[in-house]
Amino acid sequence: MQQVIKLFSAALLFCACHSGGGKTEPAGLAVAAPGTDSLAILLKQWRDDSVGCQHVRTIETFQRLLKGYSLEQKNEEEIVKVLGPPNAKERYPGKWIISYYFNSICVANKLIKGADRSMVELTFDDKKRYLRYDPAIE
């Protein structure tokens, strides 16, 4: 009987290890359903923390999403589809910059007027191709 239990346990372990654990890779810009993988959960939390009051948005979170969704190869429109609407968008000669706030100082989930804001600024060329990102404080 113990051998049957051991065999059954081994079969269950084998199936669990080879089933992929329910992880779904994003296809193109499609985002896996929340709850299926940690990157999709992190992305949902990022988008839900739209101004950084909940401190889910951090530079480390941004870097993980940048790499996990290969955003460095995307244009502005594709990046916004993944990360959600930016908190600011500015046009400069020869470039565009969009900003996402993180680690914000808030009261009742609203930014404190006049308080410093941490952000990640994404720079794009005139054709809105991704160039780089920079952390900034305003």
Side-chain angles (χ1 to χ4, degrees):
M1 183 67 172
Q2 282 185 337
Q3 287 180 335
V4 171
I5 292 173
K6 285 180 184 179
L7 184 59
F8 182 71
S9 297
L12 284 176
L13 182 60
F14 177 80
C15 290
C17 290
H18 288 80
S19 69
K23 184 172 174 156
T24 306
E25 294 296 326
L29 291 178
V31 176
T36 59
D37 69 44
S38 62
L39 194 59
I41 292 168
L42 188 62
L43 179 61
K44 182 180 181 334
Q45 291 171 338
W46 168 276
R47 294 183 88 169
D48 289 346
D49 188 15
S50 64
V51 290
C53 290
Q54 300 167 20
H55 295 251
V56 170
R57 285 188 176 189
T58 63
I59 195 67
E60 293 81 10
T61 303
F62 169 76
Q63 290 168 335
R64 184 159 175 224
L65 294 170
L66 183 77
K67 298 282 186 232
Y69 286 102
S70 303
L71 298 179
E72 293 161 316
Q73 287 96 41
K74 310 289 185 207
N75 64 33
E76 180 199 0
E77 182 181 333
E78 294 168 324
I79 289 174
V80 170
K81 280 182 185 176
V82 174
L83 296 179
N87 299 106
K89 184 174 181 177
E90 299 178 57
R91 174 82 168 114
Y92 295 94
K95 65 182 176 181
W96 286 89
I97 295 179
I98 63 172
S99 302
Y100 290 94
Y101 300 156
F102 66 90
N103 287 343
S104 299
I105 301 169
C106 304
V107 171
N109 215 27
K110 295 189 188 292
L111 292 170
I112 295 178
K113 193 172 190 170
D116 288 344
R117 281 180 272 190
S118 299
M119 64 191 77
V120 60
E121 295 182 333
L122 286 74
T123 304
F124 301 87
D125 66 14
D126 271 336
K127 295 183 181 175
K128 299 193 176 184
R129 293 178 293 212
Y130 174 81
L131 299 174
R132 69 176 184 279
Y133 76 89
D134 298 292
I137 296 177
E138 181 179 86

